[in-house]
Amino acid sequence: MFFLLFVLLAASLPAGAAGAHAVKAPDPQVVSALRSERFYASPDQTSLDAAGIARVKQALKESESPVYLMVTGDMGTAASSDQYLSDVANAVGSTGVYGLLSGRHFVAGSLGQTGLNRGEAGRLASEAAGENRGEPADGLVAFVESVNVASGQKPSTASSALTYGFLGVLLLLVVGGFFYVRAGRRRRARDEQRQMQELKQGVEEDVTRLGEDIAALDLDLKSPKVDQAAKDDYVRALDSYDRAKAATESARTSEDMERVTQALEDGRYSMVAVRARQAGEPVPERRAPCFFNPQHGPSVKDVMWAPVGGRPRDVPACAADAERVENGYDPEARMVEVSGQRRPYWEAGPQWAPYAGGYYAGYGGFGMLNSILLGTAIGSMWGGGLGMGYGTVGHSDGFGGGGDFGGGGDFGGFGDFGGGGFGGGDF
């Protein structure tokens, strides 16, 4: 019963999006080791020492649910880890929960009827990682134990009870587990509350900025000299601001923020239309917001850009950010608060996925963003479309929040592998 820090936004990658790192076919030695011990550690892995390997093996031996774990060197991309794990699981062919720790990145999924719901293996991996950041062995053991609880199996304490012969040991475990779970729930509730506060604060900054920019237009609706079309666009901008403000005040979960940023995007374009009409110029075509900072309004062109450690991709940018990137400078990123630090919103965690999704809802939504956000903190944790669901902060039964080495998976059949939707994170 280990309910630790939770995150799931499963990240599905289109075919061929694995990047420059090719996925190797399963080695027969790996398949053989998993079938015999349900564990494999490659010679080039550095995540676990000998003691850590022994602990993980013992946890797997005592597990009443079939759990298969692999520990390898860094495969380079989340897509590579996802595909390799899927291939190995299908090669082993046994019903169970499969996990792969590649370098510091951990993904998981289930194959067959394991007692887990679809995508639940990834959620458990995310929780275990978030609670055991920097301690891979602790995280893997916690993951095995949480799979047993979630699949309806009791933690394997019988062998310990028989070894020591004391019913008191079992009692201590039960009592200790009760307090541990209660403490874990409190920590998770505090994390959810903090994440929602940070998200709402960031969205409120966007709403306030839109209101200030609209006021700066200083358009007199009563003046007969003002073009009627400009007045109409100005009113639309004000209406969008009002919708965004009301939606922010009523928001209770991260998903609610999608409605806010949809209204903000509409208001930003209406402002651009007002400025164009006031200057006697044609109203620009409606394009997706500037990816680097949606507060900058609609983009004017696409530029090639790569996140830290990621591959280049086309990104919509405003004129100022496009010029910066093309001249080798960093764009003016939208910085948000995350655990007391400011960082770009695309590296702030999966709870910011609806924030981004709302801005791009009219431009392909998550289908467009998947290609842009591949390899970022948001992109590595959400699914391949809105239907997959994304992080929900503020709902006790939702996904999202924190977590750092887990993800979901989809192998087909009755479990997860096969339909895409891997996520992941880093120790």
Side-chain angles (χ1 to χ4, degrees):
M1 300 172 65
F2 292 86
F3 295 92
L4 309 173
L5 181 67
F6 74 100
V7 166
L8 179 73
L9 301 176
S12 80
L13 304 177
H21 298 269
V23 179
K24 299 181 292 185
D27 189 317
Q29 182 181 356
V30 177
V31 176
S32 177
L34 290 175
R35 286 175 176 171
S36 60
E37 295 188 275
R38 295 192 296 187
F39 180 80
Y40 172 78
S42 67
D44 64 338
Q45 70 84 21
T46 58
S47 301
L48 300 182
D49 56 17
I53 290 176
R55 288 184 56 211
V56 175
K57 283 186 174 181
Q58 185 64 28
L60 292 172
K61 182 179 179 180
E62 295 180 352
S63 174
E64 294 185 15
S65 293
V67 181
Y68 300 80
L69 294 178
M70 291 178 288
V71 184
T72 69
D74 190 358
M75 292 188 176
T77 66
S80 298
S81 298
D82 300 342
Q83 186 61 55
Y84 185 71
L85 178 59
S86 178
D87 290 345
V88 170
N90 284 301
V92 173
S94 298
T95 294
V97 176
Y98 291 76
L100 168 63
L101 175 58
S102 167
R104 313 299 282 182
H105 187 69
F106 184 60
V107 291
S110 59
L111 179 65
Q113 295 180 331
T114 62
L116 300 183
N117 294 326
R118 185 175 181 82
E120 191 169 6
R123 177 179 66 81
L124 296 175
S126 298
E127 291 179 354
E131 189 65 17
N132 296 277
R133 188 184 301 274
E135 298 294 338
D138 292 346
L140 294 179
V141 171
F143 172 69
V144 174
E145 293 171 339
S146 64
V147 168
N148 278 279
V149 174
S151 62
Q153 303 289 344
K154 297 179 180 178
S156 181
T157 58
S159 60
S160 297
L162 291 175
T163 300
Y164 293 104
F166 297 111
L167 291 177
V169 174
L170 179 59
L171 178 61
L172 287 175
L173 288 174
V174 172
V175 173
F178 169 77
F179 286 105
Y180 185 86
V181 168
R182 187 169 68 172
R185 286 175 175 171
R186 289 176 178 175
R187 285 195 300 271
R188 189 163 86 173
R190 287 195 298 268
D191 288 336
E192 288 178 354
Q193 183 179 21
R194 173 185 56 79
Q195 290 163 1
M196 187 61 188
Q197 288 174 343
E198 291 172 347
L199 176 59
K200 197 163 188 176
Q201 176 184 335
V203 173
E204 287 173 345
E205 291 174 0
D206 282 18
V207 174
T208 300
R209 175 75 174 270
L210 176 65
E212 293 172 348
D213 290 347
I214 292 175
L217 291 174
D218 194 26
L219 187 139
D220 185 0
L221 292 175
K222 297 181 180 179
S223 174
K225 298 180 180 181
V226 178
D227 180 69
Q228 183 60 44
K231 293 180 181 180
D232 293 341
D233 288 328
Y234 185 79
V235 171
R236 276 193 288 271
L238 288 174
D239 289 343
S240 297
Y241 168 76
D242 290 337
R243 291 202 317 273
K245 186 175 181 181
T248 303
E249 292 172 351
S250 63
R252 295 294 179 268
T253 72
S254 61
E255 289 177 338
D256 295 334
M257 296 308 179
E258 184 185 2
R259 293 186 295 112
V260 180
T261 51
Q262 280 182 323
L264 292 175
E265 187 276 329
D266 190 61
R268 285 286 169 193
Y269 178 73
S270 296
M271 284 183 53
V272 169
V274 171
R275 291 195 185 103
R277 296 186 195 282
Q278 286 181 309
E281 300 173 352
V283 176
E285 67 168 317
R286 188 160 187 168
R287 285 178 51 91
C290 174
F291 167 76
F292 302 112
N293 189 341
Q295 291 179 352
H296 294 169
S299 60
V300 298
K301 63 187 297 186
D302 292 347
V303 295
M304 289 299 293
W305 171 83
V308 177
R311 62 176 177 80
R313 72 287 312 272
D314 285 324
V315 172
C318 65
D321 280 330
E323 182 178 358
R324 291 188 186 96
V325 172
E326 290 173 341
N327 286 296
Y329 297 101
D330 291 332
E332 187 181 291
R334 172 69 173 101
M335 306 296 285
V336 297
E337 188 84 10
V338 182
S339 300
Q341 297 181 340
R342 302 284 288 184
R343 64 179 62 181
Y345 76 91
W346 60 83
E347 294 294 348
Q351 64 271 25
W352 288 82
Y355 168 90
Y359 271 119
Y360 294 89
Y363 307 93
F366 288 89
M368 171 187 179
L369 286 171
N370 272 341
S371 60
I372 297 178
L373 292 169
L374 177 63
T376 67
I378 294 180
S380 63
M381 293 186 182
W382 74 20
L386 202 54
M388 291 294 294
Y390 41 64
T392 302
V393 178
H395 249 298
S396 61
D397 59 349
F399 295 121
D404 256 344
F405 79 72
D410 281 292
F411 297 111
F414 298 101
D416 291 329
F417 302 130
F422 278 99
D426 301 315
F427 276 111

